[in-house]
């Protein structure tokens, strides 16, 4: 089965749309998803991107997310708390979850709590709300997330994202091809499934 690497950040507005859509779409396409949270703040700073200081762009972003959510049938209640997760705790918990095999369910539950229930990512209330139903001990998970291993893994995943030229969240990588933005999810899945129009064209030319 072909694989798509899904790079995203807990606190990325557009990532919510992909988090809510990618599983069903990937299954329909026959593609496996590798969930890979990373620290987009680092790569944005390296590229001199400071979204939070651009009021007009931020205003547009939230309206655009709302429109895209309606277009794709993704639940949307209100603009979520943003910026959020100042200490990257939600993201570091994701490193624990990825290592232990429950990253996808944690991600979906976290983004739902953020967008639909008005909770700030990485807060004690948020983590308790999300982790307990997953059968996880909140104190134990937070202790692991505060440990060196989680910090190192987050840095490693951020380095991996950087190596693919990723500069924002979400992004999708298939065999070294990078697709940036929720509006490229369909294109990334088509590439992973070998059904992208450029791949089809290339095969047609080879057959000719």
């Amino acid at each position: 089965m072909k694989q798509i690497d899904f790079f995203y950040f807990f606190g990325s507005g557009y990532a919510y749309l992909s988090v809510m859509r990618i599983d069903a779409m990937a299954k329909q396409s026959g593609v496996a998803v590798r969930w890979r949270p990373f620290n987009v703040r680092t790569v944005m700073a390296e590229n001199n991107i400071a979204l939070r200081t651009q009021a007009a762009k931020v205003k547009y972003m939230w309206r655009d997310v709302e429109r895209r959510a309606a277009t794709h049938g993704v639940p949307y209640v209100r603009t979520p708390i943003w910026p959020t997760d100042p200490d990257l705790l939600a993201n570091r918990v994701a490193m624990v979850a990825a290592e232990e095999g429950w990253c996808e369910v944690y991600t979906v539950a976290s983004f739902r709590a953020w967008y639909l229930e008005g909770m700030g990512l990485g807060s004690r209330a948020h983590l308790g709300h999300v982790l307990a139903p997953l059968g996880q001990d909140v104190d134990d998970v937070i202790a692991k997330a505060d440990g060196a291993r989680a910090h190192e893994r987050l840095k490693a995943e951020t380095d991996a994202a950087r190596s693919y030229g990723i500069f924002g969240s979400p992004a999708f990588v298939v065999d070294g091809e990078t697709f940036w933005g929720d509006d490229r999810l369909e294109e990334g899945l088509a590439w992973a499934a070998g059904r992208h129009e450029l791949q089809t064209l290339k095969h047609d030319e080879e057959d000719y």
Side-chain angles (χ1 to χ4, degrees):
M1 180 180 287
K2 296 291 288 185
Q3 177 176 281
I4 188 168
D5 280 14
F6 175 27
F7 285 91
Y8 60 95
F9 177 73
F10 286 72
S12 164
Y14 282 105
Y16 167 71
L17 300 170
S18 296
V19 165
M20 299 301 287
R21 299 196 302 136
I22 194 169
D23 179 60
M25 294 175 64
K27 287 177 179 175
Q28 187 174 19
S29 299
V31 174
V33 180
R34 185 181 178 193
W35 296 68
R36 303 187 67 175
F38 75 108
N39 185 3
V40 77
R41 290 176 187 160
T42 297
V43 295
M44 288 179 69
E46 291 169 353
N47 287 283
N48 295 314
I49 302 171
L51 180 60
R52 70 179 65 186
T53 66
Q54 302 176 48
K57 190 171 184 178
V58 170
K59 181 179 179 181
Y60 169 82
M61 175 183 72
W62 294 123
R63 178 56 184 150
D64 190 41
V65 169
E66 184 177 13
R67 286 195 306 256
R68 288 187 60 77
T71 298
H72 294 292
V74 174
Y76 185 97
V77 177
R78 67 184 71 85
T79 301
I81 296 171
W82 188 89
T84 188
D85 196 22
D87 299 322
L88 299 175
L89 181 55
N91 284 272
R92 285 185 281 109
V93 168
M95 299 300 101
V96 178
E99 189 165 272
E100 297 181 356
W102 45 279
C103 188
E104 178 180 350
V105 292
Y106 164 70
T107 298
V108 173
S110 290
F111 273 80
R112 287 185 65 88
W114 178 38
Y115 255 84
L116 306 182
E117 300 177 61
M119 306 188 82
L121 293 172
S123 68
R124 177 74 189 204
H126 164 258
L127 291 172
H129 180 74
V130 168
L131 294 175
L134 300 181
Q136 300 297 326
D137 181 273
V138 180
D139 291 331
D140 180 61
V141 170
I142 291 177
K144 291 177 181 176
D146 285 337
R149 190 176 183 89
H151 283 274
E152 291 166 0
R153 180 162 184 154
L154 182 57
K155 182 182 183 300
E157 287 296 85
T158 304
D159 289 342
R162 188 186 294 106
S163 74
Y164 290 119
I166 292 173
F167 51 86
S169 165
F172 315 94
V173 178
V174 183
D175 294 334
E177 290 284 344
T178 299
F179 302 85
W180 171 61
D182 175 71
D183 58 347
R184 292 294 182 267
L185 173 55
E186 289 84 353
E187 190 173 353
L189 287 171
W191 195 281
R195 293 194 294 267
H196 192 281
E197 60 182 10
L198 293 181
Q199 294 168 310
T200 303
L201 177 63
K202 180 180 179 180
H203 291 155
D204 289 344
E205 291 174 345
E206 290 174 348
D207 290 342
Y208 182 78

